[in-house]
Amino acid sequence: MTRPVGAWRLQLRAGDAVELPEFLRIARAIAEDARSGRLAPGARLPGSRELADTLGVHRNTVLAAYRELSVEGFLETARGRGTFIASALPEVKAKRWLPASSQRPTRARLAARPGFDFPSTPAAIPFSPLPPRTLALYGGLPDTRLLPHDALARAYRRALRGRVDLLGYGDPQGELRLREALAQMLRVTRGLSVRADDLLITRGSQMALALLGRVLIRPGDRVAVEAYGYQPAWRALSEQQGVQRVPIAVDAEGLVVSELAAAHAERPVRAVYVTPHHQYPTTVTMSAARRMELLALARRERFAVIEDDYDHEFHYDGRPVLPLASADDGGNVAYVGTLSKSVAPGLRVGYLVAPEPVRKAALAARFDLDRQGDRVSEHALAELIEDGELQRHLWRTRRVYHARRDHFVRALREQLGHQLTFETPQGGMALWVRAARSLPIGAWHAEAARRGVLFQPGQLFRYDGRETQYARLGYAALDEGEQSTAIARLGEAAAALAGR
Amino acid sequence: MTRPVGAWRLQLRAGDAVELPEFLRIARAIAEDARSGRLAPGARLPGSRELADTLGVHRNTVLAAYRELSVEGFLETARGRGTFIASALPEVKAKRWLPASSQRPTRARLAARPGFDFPSTPAAIPFSPLPPRTLALYGGLPDTRLLPHDALARAYRRALRGRVDLLGYGDPQGELRLREALAQMLRVTRGLSVRADDLLITRGSQMALALLGRVLIRPGDRVAVEAYGYQPAWRALSEQQGVQRVPIAVDAEGLVVSELAAAHAERPVRAVYVTPHHQYPTTVTMSAARRMELLALARRERFAVIEDDYDHEFHYDGRPVLPLASADDGGNVAYVGTLSKSVAPGLRVGYLVAPEPVRKAALAARFDLDRQGDRVSEHALAELIEDGELQRHLWRTRRVYHARRDHFVRALREQLGHQLTFETPQGGMALWVRAARSLPIGAWHAEAARRGVLFQPGQLFRYDGRETQYARLGYAALDEGEQSTAIARLGEAAAALAGR
């Protein structure tokens, strides 16, 4: 609307600014007029009551606008004489924030090459968002569409509203409130006898592994890993100079402990990294016998067992197997968990449980990495647990993923049963399939990608990086309809190859 | 309220559950009755319409409650025959989430000592929140009370509501939207010719330094640091095996470049870490001459200059000095910035600007540390910048902190001018003061702490860790009233010492 104020008319535009509180819209409109010159420096503004009447708003709104403008440097108030446009506008500052186009940077471009010796760099991770309508059968991706978004938003809002101090510095170990909630969860669902103080909250399990790589592994050490596994975990654990990784075979019972024993006898390993619950990527659940063997060996030979229990919650056939850590009396296990699968990867919340000296060393290392976690998300998460919201979410998603596993297995057998062989995993979010010679994985992957379906060839997970006829197909993030479409396209891709 | 439903009466309690949506309150009440046995397994529930009438709610609310209960496993629906309490309740799961007291953990306690050889650990950082009514004169703490909390909460809400995918995996380099907003800010306020792609978003400046320590510094290298400085930065840069730190003196013009040149001539340094804008902790602004000297030396001798511009925004006397990076044509500067001071430390958002190969190596290292940043906060921040909210906040806080500096300087001179000498810093958030012999810092610090005022003795920042008569007094986080109280207590503490 436009209303006369003396000679000057204040125009309040609707549009993008409409989201702003009234007083800010008024303040901006006045600042705009001051910048454009419609209000000259030194010009006297109408009294707050007068402007309030003409705009049909409460006087306090106008006073708030004037206050805002004076702290921003647009107005000067002379006691008793009134309110004036500042003689020197904060024009410079204002200009500084104009679109880049209107700027003249000091130099054409940032120097492309460093002015100092620099080792050949590892290729940076190429990041490209999925093309629209692509269906990704990536392992370990939860379906974030199932999240209780309102509850999550409510929890964030409360954390932000309630506690100004959450935006300040906090406990590098993680917010006590979240550690208490998680400790209880671990006690009652995983048989871990832990208290809040036994936990270190990290940025996802990746940071927990990076910390262990720093405090457990010394330069020149040997670290045993599963011969099929997760490369970023391997890198995190062998980051120190000259660390040697020792791949250990995995079979239908999980890690082949006898092979580990042999490798250790040859030359001692400092630690072994395992994923016993649902081996990554083969989905195998480690047998009870192997578990006992492994713990006994570690205890006798005094090496560390790094247990990555990344998707404990998603076990469908029978009860989840308790982690190695729950049976570890010797203090050999460093236990790593995450909320990336059970809640969302984007939250970047994981945790480490380990004997005190290890935990303290990890805490010190963590402080030097990023000081502390995200206190707001940590409180929001704690609230979701306290309210039982997370538990309900887990019950819900467990059922949903269970059904999706069964549907995926059925549809895959119908569609590609003659070319794919696989075991139905007891839990997790993916299948590990073996393709017949007639279906070369590499070519199949390419054909599928052309049809808008992505999956992960086994080669990605193989220690020696060699080609393999295995592939990992994640099913949890796709609903039944999407699964059927994806599998149909996989079938077309296979047919296209056969047709050649 | 209590209303009859056949023999069974559903009781909806108010109280803590009142925050929950209606359908969940109903679902919980029914689940409770099922657990308590008031509703036996197999018991038939009233039809949704009937229960809706008795409770005086919409039928859809009851249907939602029933849906929730069946996904949770409390209800079974037999098509056409109605809704029944499940014959097997999810009792186990429910029990698992009872208070810890009611649990019997598998073992008494987590093993206290590791079952493997472990090096003597560095002392973990003791974290203890400030005692109530304590006034902390800590340097570099912004006043989070000044934050536009509603705008911040609004921005978070939008990020959470608008984009489910933000809770999934994202770009390890940082959200493009935030990098674009920051790149423009750096172009127009700091004369850096950068685009979104030149930035790597990190978890505060600490992570940026940790990454540089990993990719720039090699085992056995020499790294030059300011003889007074920030210990976590030193640790982050000398984390690799056998890295030697070389302390370089700081005077009224900042780093003494001639001393750096001499040290480098003796044995080359790989990099130098500097805080030129407001030297940490001495608050000195590096002179133009020294800046040119330093860049020329780095270019000629081909070493890296790590510039930490942690509080660029807060410069009060004259315009902020442009960073070294803005004049770096040789690609010698790795520029580190943060939003910890300008917005809030709790957000943990910083950034790195460096020549492409360095940035790419840092990106790869970052991926192995924590995969990616917090996408929700990154979008919320981007929105604050796009809306001009951050700029307004900076104009506001710059004025407030400027006034607080002047008030603090005045009050401190009045109260302790005879025992303290200091320069008024051109900017920043703290003073660097020298105490007369009559006022031994250590004893003064202890007396002040007893009176509920905390400050940082210069010893904490001194490379050799020796005692010193200097101290750092942060003023930005306290308003004028709090400053007066704090300074009065500092005076009492000093008097108490004199009185001895």
Side-chain angles (χ1 to χ4, degrees):
Chain A
M1 65 283 207
T2 304
R3 294 209 190 71
V5 177
W8 167 68
R9 292 153 169 274
L10 176 60
Q11 288 188 295
L12 288 186
R13 278 170 231 71
D16 58 1
V18 84
E19 287 273 15
L20 294 173
E22 189 81 34
F23 83 94
L24 269 185
R25 294 180 57 210
I26 298 176
R28 280 188 167 183
I30 294 176
E32 199 34 58
D33 284 358
R35 286 219 193 80
S36 66
R38 297 183 65 233
L39 280 170
R44 189 175 187 291
L45 283 178
S48 54
R49 196 174 273 95
E50 177 186 353
L51 184 55
D53 295 345
T54 39
L55 293 177
V57 301
H58 191 286
R59 188 188 166 206
N60 290 338
T61 309
V62 174
L63 286 171
Y66 280 7
R67 241 192 323 279
E68 174 68 23
L69 284 167
S70 30
V71 294
E72 289 183 18
F74 283 97
L75 296 192
E76 289 159 355
T77 20
R79 192 174 300 295
R81 295 192 25 255
T83 309
F84 304 83
I85 297 297
S87 39
L89 292 184
E91 199 56 47
V92 189
K93 294 171 192 154
K95 266 226 185 52
R96 287 186 175 168
W97 292 92
L98 291 180
S101 58
S102 71
Q103 299 302 321
R104 205 169 284 81
T106 48
R107 284 173 302 114
R109 200 79 190 76
L110 192 69
R113 227 167 276 80
F116 42 83
D117 305 338
F118 190 72
S120 65
T121 69
I125 311 84
F127 172 81
S128 48
L130 287 181
R133 283 184 311 288
T134 304
L135 294 170
L137 294 166
Y138 287 160
L141 283 186
D143 187 345
T144 48
R145 294 171 299 188
L146 301 176
L147 283 170
H149 288 285
D150 294 351
L152 200 59
R154 199 165 54 236
Y156 265 89
R157 194 161 62 251
R158 284 212 201 113
L160 278 163
R161 286 273 163 80
R163 306 265 315 264
V164 182
D165 60 309
L166 287 187
L167 293 168
Y169 286 112
D171 188 342
Q173 193 176 352
E175 292 297 294
L176 180 61
R177 185 181 174 192
L178 178 59
R179 284 187 284 120
E180 272 166 351
L182 286 176
Q184 192 200 334
M185 180 190 84
L186 294 179
R187 279 195 303 270
V188 297
T189 67
R190 304 190 194 179
L192 296 179
S193 55
V194 292
R195 302 171 193 163
D197 193 47
D198 299 322
L199 268 87
L200 169 60
I201 308 288
T202 57
R203 307 276 194 183
S205 47
Q206 188 62 36
M207 179 179 277
L209 295 171
L211 294 172
L212 290 172
R214 206 149 295 127
V215 301
L216 282 188
I217 317 297
R218 281 169 254 179
D221 276 353
R222 272 158 58 97
V223 184
V225 299
E226 297 155 319
Y228 283 85
Y230 183 58
Q231 295 193 34
W234 294 341
R235 290 198 301 266
L237 292 172
S238 55
E239 196 215 302
Q240 306 269 352
Q241 228 200 354
V243 169
Q244 186 200 351
R245 297 178 199 149
V246 185
I248 307 294
V250 173
D251 66 15
E253 288 189 68
L255 187 86
V256 180
V257 179
S258 56
E259 202 175 290
L260 172 62
H264 179 76
E266 209 172 87
R267 216 186 109 214
V269 300
R270 172 81 58 191
V272 58
Y273 170 74
V274 284
T275 51
H277 201 230
H278 306 122
Q279 203 275 335
Y280 188 93
T282 67
T283 76
V284 170
T285 299
M286 189 185 249
S287 70
R290 291 276 176 88
R291 287 162 184 265
M292 293 307 110
E293 253 185 283
L294 179 56
L295 283 177
L297 181 66
R299 187 163 194 178
R300 195 175 63 243
E301 299 298 325
R302 300 189 57 77
F303 60 74
V305 176
I306 298 167
E307 178 176 30
D308 186 345
D309 200 9
Y310 60 96
D311 67 353
H312 185 91
E313 294 79 4
F314 302 120
H315 201 75
Y316 317 122
D317 305 333
R319 299 182 50 180
V321 185
L322 290 181
L324 290 168
S326 69
D328 169 42
D329 302 313
N332 290 91
V333 178
Y335 181 80
V336 171
T338 179
L339 294 172
S340 291
K341 318 296 181 196
S342 52
V343 184
L347 289 174
R348 310 307 304 136
V349 174
Y351 46 89
L352 167 68
V353 177
E356 190 183 26
V358 177
R359 204 178 59 246
K360 286 203 163 149
L363 174 59
R366 188 275 155 76
F367 187 92
D368 291 345
L369 275 191
D370 74 339
R371 178 66 178 73
Q372 69 185 47
D374 188 294
R375 304 179 69 195
V376 173
S377 333
E378 289 181 11
H379 272 263
L381 267 174
E383 175 163 328
L384 290 185
I385 298 177
E386 292 161 3
D387 290 355
E389 197 62 61
L390 176 64
Q391 295 85 309
R392 275 196 302 279
H393 175 64
L394 286 176
W395 299 344
R396 213 178 287 122
T397 44
R398 197 180 291 112
R399 282 166 170 263
V400 172
Y401 294 163
H402 187 167
R404 287 181 181 181
R405 179 199 67 175
D406 295 343
H407 177 271
F408 193 74
V409 165
R410 218 179 308 110
L412 201 63
R413 288 204 198 284
E414 283 167 16
Q415 187 70 242
L416 286 151
H418 54 297
Q419 286 175 292
L420 299 181
T421 52
F422 56 89
E423 300 287 320
T424 302
Q426 294 176 28
M429 310 162 98
L431 298 192
W432 181 247
V433 304
R434 187 182 205 307
R437 297 218 175 293
S438 61
L439 186 59
I441 289 285
W444 187 36
H445 176 261
E447 278 294 335
R450 239 174 258 116
R451 290 169 170 75
V453 176
L454 301 176
F455 65 83
Q456 296 166 302
Q459 190 174 14
L460 293 178
F461 309 101
R462 190 165 165 161
Y463 183 81
D464 57 20
R466 287 221 225 87
E467 278 216 17
T468 156
Q469 274 300 85
Y470 286 95
R472 184 167 161 91
L473 306 180
Y475 54 76
L478 304 186
D479 64 34
E480 278 76 352
E482 295 164 327
Q483 286 184 354
S484 304
T485 314
I487 290 174
R489 294 182 191 170
L490 287 178
E492 293 162 21
L497 288 178
R500 284 216 187 125
Chain B
M1 64 283 205
T2 305
R3 292 210 190 73
V5 177
W8 167 68
R9 293 153 168 274
L10 177 59
Q11 289 188 295
L12 288 186
R13 279 170 230 69
D16 58 2
V18 84
E19 286 275 14
L20 294 173
E22 188 80 33
F23 84 93
L24 269 185
R25 294 180 55 211
I26 298 175
R28 280 188 167 182
I30 294 176
E32 199 32 58
D33 285 357
R35 286 220 192 78
S36 67
R38 297 183 65 233
L39 280 168
R44 189 174 187 290
L45 283 177
S48 53
R49 197 174 273 97
E50 176 187 354
L51 184 54
D53 294 345
T54 39
L55 293 177
V57 300
H58 191 286
R59 188 189 167 204
N60 289 339
T61 310
V62 174
L63 286 172
Y66 281 7
R67 241 192 324 278
E68 174 67 23
L69 284 166
S70 29
V71 293
E72 289 183 18
F74 283 98
L75 295 191
E76 290 159 355
T77 21
R79 191 173 301 295
R81 293 191 28 252
T83 309
F84 305 83
I85 297 296
S87 39
L89 291 185
E91 199 56 48
V92 189
K93 293 170 191 152
K95 267 226 184 54
R96 286 187 177 168
W97 291 92
L98 293 179
S101 58
S102 70
Q103 299 303 320
R104 205 167 286 83
T106 48
R107 284 173 303 114
R109 201 78 190 77
L110 193 69
R113 227 167 277 81
F116 43 82
D117 305 339
F118 191 71
S120 65
T121 68
I125 311 86
F127 172 80
S128 49
L130 288 182
R133 283 184 313 287
T134 305
L135 294 171
L137 294 166
Y138 287 160
L141 284 185
D143 188 344
T144 48
R145 296 171 298 188
L146 301 175
L147 283 170
H149 287 284
D150 294 350
L152 200 59
R154 199 164 54 236
Y156 264 90
R157 195 161 61 250
R158 285 215 200 110
L160 277 163
R161 285 274 163 81
R163 307 266 316 264
V164 181
D165 60 310
L166 287 187
L167 294 168
Y169 286 112
D171 188 341
Q173 193 176 352
E175 292 298 294
L176 180 61
R177 184 181 175 193
L178 178 59
R179 285 187 283 121
E180 271 166 353
L182 286 176
Q184 192 199 335
M185 180 191 84
L186 295 179
R187 279 195 301 271
V188 299
T189 67
R190 305 190 193 180
L192 296 179
S193 55
V194 293
R195 303 172 193 163
D197 193 46
D198 300 322
L199 268 89
L200 169 60
I201 307 288
T202 58
R203 305 277 195 184
S205 47
Q206 187 63 34
M207 180 179 276
L209 295 172
L211 293 173
L212 290 173
R214 205 150 293 128
V215 301
L216 281 188
I217 317 296
R218 283 169 252 180
D221 276 354
R222 273 158 58 96
V223 183
V225 300
E226 297 155 319
Y228 283 85
Y230 183 58
Q231 295 193 33
W234 294 341
R235 290 198 300 266
L237 292 173
S238 55
E239 198 214 302
Q240 307 268 352
Q241 228 200 353
V243 168
Q244 185 199 352
R245 299 179 198 149
V246 186
I248 307 295
V250 173
D251 66 14
E253 287 189 70
L255 186 86
V256 180
V257 179
S258 57
E259 203 174 288
L260 171 62
H264 179 76
E266 211 173 85
R267 216 186 109 213
V269 300
R270 172 81 58 190
V272 58
Y273 170 73
V274 283
T275 51
H277 201 229
H278 306 122
Q279 203 275 334
Y280 189 93
T282 67
T283 76
V284 171
T285 300
M286 191 185 251
S287 70
R290 290 276 176 89
R291 288 164 183 263
M292 293 307 110
E293 254 185 281
L294 179 56
L295 283 177
L297 181 67
R299 188 163 193 177
R300 194 175 66 244
E301 299 298 326
R302 300 188 57 77
F303 60 74
V305 176
I306 299 167
E307 178 177 31
D308 186 345
D309 200 10
Y310 60 95
D311 67 353
H312 185 91
E313 295 80 4
F314 302 120
H315 202 74
Y316 316 123
D317 306 333
R319 298 183 49 180
V321 185
L322 290 182
L324 290 167
S326 69
D328 169 42
D329 303 313
N332 290 92
V333 178
Y335 181 79
V336 171
T338 178
L339 294 171
S340 291
K341 317 297 181 194
S342 51
V343 184
L347 289 174
R348 310 307 304 138
V349 174
Y351 45 89
L352 167 68
V353 177
E356 190 183 28
V358 177
R359 204 179 59 249
K360 286 204 162 145
L363 174 59
R366 188 273 155 79
F367 187 92
D368 291 346
L369 275 191
D370 74 338
R371 178 65 177 73
Q372 68 185 47
D374 188 293
R375 304 179 69 196
V376 173
S377 332
E378 289 181 11
H379 273 262
L381 267 174
E383 173 163 329
L384 291 184
I385 298 177
E386 292 161 4
D387 291 355
E389 198 62 60
L390 176 64
Q391 296 85 307
R392 276 195 301 281
H393 174 64
L394 286 175
W395 299 345
R396 215 178 286 122
T397 44
R398 196 181 291 111
R399 281 165 171 260
V400 171
Y401 294 162
H402 187 168
R404 288 182 181 181
R405 179 199 67 175
D406 295 343
H407 176 272
F408 194 73
V409 165
R410 217 179 309 108
L412 200 63
R413 288 204 197 284
E414 281 168 17
Q415 187 70 240
L416 286 152
H418 54 298
Q419 286 175 292
L420 299 181
T421 52
F422 56 89
E423 301 286 320
T424 301
Q426 295 176 27
M429 309 163 99
L431 297 192
W432 181 248
V433 305
R434 186 182 208 307
R437 295 216 176 295
S438 61
L439 187 60
I441 290 285
W444 187 37
H445 176 260
E447 278 294 335
R450 239 174 257 115
R451 289 169 170 74
V453 177
L454 301 176
F455 65 83
Q456 296 166 302
Q459 191 175 12
L460 294 178
F461 309 103
R462 190 165 163 161
Y463 183 81
D464 58 19
R466 288 223 223 85
E467 278 216 18
T468 156
Q469 274 301 88
Y470 286 96
R472 183 167 162 92
L473 306 180
Y475 54 76
L478 304 186
D479 64 34
E480 278 78 351
E482 294 163 327
Q483 287 184 354
S484 304
T485 313
I487 290 174
R489 293 184 192 170
L490 287 177
E492 293 162 21
L497 288 179
R500 283 211 188 134

